[in-house]
Amino acid sequence: MLAFISARQAGLDDPLRLRRAESTRRVLSLELNKDRDVERIHGSGVNTLDIEPVEGRYMLSGGSDGVIVLYDLENFSRKPCYTCKAICSVGRSHPDVHKFSVETVQWYPRDTGMFTSSSFDKTLKIWDTNTLQPADVFNFEGTVYSHHMSPVATKHCLIAGHRQEVLAVAWSPRHEYVLATASADSRVKLWDVRRASGCLITLDQYNGEKSKASSEAANTAHNGRVNGLCFTSDGLHLLTIGTDDRMRLWNSSSGENTLVNYGKVCNESRKGLKFTTSTGCDPEFAFVPYGSTIAVYTIYSGELITMLRGHYNTVDCCVFQPNFQELYSGSKDCNILAWVPALREPMPDEDAAKQRLNPAFEDGWSSSDDEG
């Protein structure tokens, strides 16, 4: 660490390198925080989480019970043991509560005054955070599995939503008009919403070379339902997950399968799987629900770093807080868990130094009668 600081002071190093190194160290030390609880409100599984990008302070959760909860993650007590309290919720008694399972919640990217939710009740709702009333409601003919607002759009305020068998959608964080969709027919498509034809490319796991075993496998991203996708923070790559127990990394510009091998990535979910990636680390990491655990992979090498264990049932979603390198996860066990970087333990030499008082700081006065 001292070497990083010295190099930065001398102007020999990128100022961001120290931050990346510390962020990476913190992610690698993530552990279940026994001193921090998230108030339990949901009466059934937690399907979706989202932390607003403006302050990184408020978190939304949506559950299988149709309930939406808003949490404050700030620790005002400044005590090591505290509970992240629910500020408010759209509970079962609320007149505008979703009738069925909430599958996606998302904050408006520019302001905490608005958020969105979509549900198996075939609706997408725009909420006023202050009044907790819907500002608008969109009704669809089919089930809404997922929706997403672009984090970088400046010239449009489109919400991408799909019904029927499109299980996941995500706007590119690099190009405001580019959208990715994943479906139950094993396909992942990239779209430019300005184009009449729309579709830019259909991702092919074989990179254009048809499988010798089956020609039907051509132009598919997975050999099963594709129920999760996530862009890397820089938007240069796209991660997808399928029920074939595989995760794949794609070049989001060319559509090429990079062939990174993550091994078996257990995925038994019959609906959308919400996973996430780190920001500001080197290397970057992917946090993937894996049964009742969360698997942490290095994105570009495919190495499985660790498995975060703490839930008692299947994990359906997780969200990364980049300001403090914290992770929150939701599960069918109705709990939301907080994973935070472990505190640095002092080195043995540091403890010894604390016990040895520097003579320069010792009191020079003595009450001995023998000294005069």
Side-chain angles (χ1 to χ4, degrees):
M1 187 62 69
L2 291 176
F4 279 118
I5 296 174
S6 300
R8 181 174 178 178
Q9 288 177 334
L12 301 175
D13 217 341
D14 181 353
L16 293 177
R17 190 177 176 207
L18 174 60
R19 180 181 177 86
R20 286 196 296 266
E22 179 60 12
S23 295
T24 303
R25 183 200 68 79
R26 289 171 63 83
V27 168
L28 290 173
S29 67
L30 282 176
E31 63 180 13
L32 182 62
N33 192 328
K34 298 178 178 62
D35 296 326
R36 185 187 312 183
D37 291 323
V38 179
E39 186 177 1
R40 179 168 170 169
I41 302 293
H42 292 283
S44 57
V46 180
N47 295 329
T48 173
L49 298 169
D50 190 43
I51 297 175
E52 47 84 15
V54 179
E55 299 178 65
R57 171 179 171 180
Y58 300 106
M59 180 173 70
L60 289 168
S61 67
S64 298
D65 50 7
V67 172
I68 300 172
V69 185
L70 195 161
Y71 296 93
D72 189 346
L73 304 179
E74 188 78 16
N75 179 13
F76 286 106
S77 69
R78 303 304 176 192
K79 296 178 181 178
C81 299
Y82 73 101
T83 299
C84 299
K85 292 289 187 179
I87 300 175
C88 56
S89 66
V90 182
R92 296 310 306 168
S93 61
H94 193 287
D96 298 299
V97 67
H98 281 289
K99 295 179 181 178
F100 303 123
S101 176
V102 175
E103 292 302 301
T104 307
V105 291
Q106 187 189 5
W107 287 99
Y108 178 59
R110 309 288 181 186
D111 193 330
T112 57
M114 186 174 78
F115 66 89
T116 58
S117 64
S118 57
S119 165
F120 278 177
D121 64 9
K122 304 178 183 180
T123 65
L124 186 150
K125 298 185 179 184
I126 315 296
W127 299 86
D128 183 317
T129 309
N130 298 311
T131 64
L132 219 62
Q133 298 296 322
D136 208 345
V137 178
F138 297 90
N139 294 281
F140 298 90
E141 295 180 359
T143 301
V144 183
Y145 287 93
S146 178
H147 78 269
H148 192 230
M149 285 185 289
S150 172
V152 295
T154 57
K155 298 180 181 178
H156 73 77
C157 194
L158 300 174
I159 300 177
H162 277 269
R163 55 189 183 274
Q164 298 299 335
E165 293 300 296
V166 176
L167 303 178
V169 295
W171 289 96
S172 166
R174 193 176 188 86
H175 304 290
E176 64 177 292
Y177 294 105
V178 174
L179 173 73
T181 62
S183 68
D185 63 3
S186 305
R187 288 175 167 79
V188 174
K189 294 177 180 289
L190 293 177
W191 309 78
D192 186 333
V193 297
R194 297 169 299 181
R195 292 168 48 134
S197 58
C199 184
L200 291 172
I201 189 171
T202 300
L203 302 183
D204 178 13
Q205 60 183 306
Y206 302 108
N207 287 332
E209 298 180 7
K210 289 186 178 181
S211 169
K212 296 180 181 179
S214 172
S215 60
E216 295 179 358
N219 296 323
T220 59
H222 288 264
N223 296 322
R225 295 158 63 92
V226 189
N227 59 351
L229 52 75
C230 181
F231 281 96
T232 54
S233 58
D234 57 13
L236 294 176
H237 292 86
L238 176 71
L239 280 163
T240 62
I241 289 181
T243 55
D244 56 357
D245 293 338
R246 290 290 179 264
M247 180 163 69
R248 294 195 166 92
L249 180 69
W250 310 82
N251 183 307
S252 61
S253 178
S254 66
E256 179 186 8
N257 180 0
T258 64
L259 303 178
V260 174
N261 183 12
Y262 299 95
K264 181 179 180 180
V265 181
C266 183
N267 177 9
E268 299 177 352
S269 176
R270 298 184 61 83
K271 53 184 182 178
L273 190 70
K274 310 292 194 304
F275 68 104
T276 190
T277 61
S278 64
T279 302
C281 298
D282 185 16
E284 297 288 8
F285 303 93
F287 307 95
V288 184
Y290 193 111
S292 62
T293 68
I294 303 163
V296 182
Y297 297 91
T298 53
I299 292 178
Y300 300 108
S301 68
E303 180 183 359
L304 175 60
I305 299 298
T306 188
M307 303 287 278
L308 302 177
R309 294 177 170 84
H311 284 287
Y312 299 103
N313 207 329
T314 304
V315 179
D316 285 324
C317 59
C318 57
V319 63
F320 185 69
Q321 211 284 22
N323 296 343
F324 303 107
Q325 293 79 46
E326 297 173 345
L327 185 74
Y328 293 84
S329 58
S331 164
K332 284 185 171 63
D333 62 14
C334 309
N335 293 313
I336 299 173
L337 298 184
W339 310 84
V340 303
L343 295 175
R344 280 182 177 270
E345 294 184 2
M347 300 296 289
D349 291 344
E350 293 179 7
D351 290 335
K354 290 179 181 178
Q355 297 174 5
R356 295 194 304 269
L357 187 63
N358 189 316
F361 297 101
E362 291 181 351
D363 190 351
W365 176 82
S366 175
S367 59
S368 174
D369 294 336
D370 296 334
E371 296 181 7

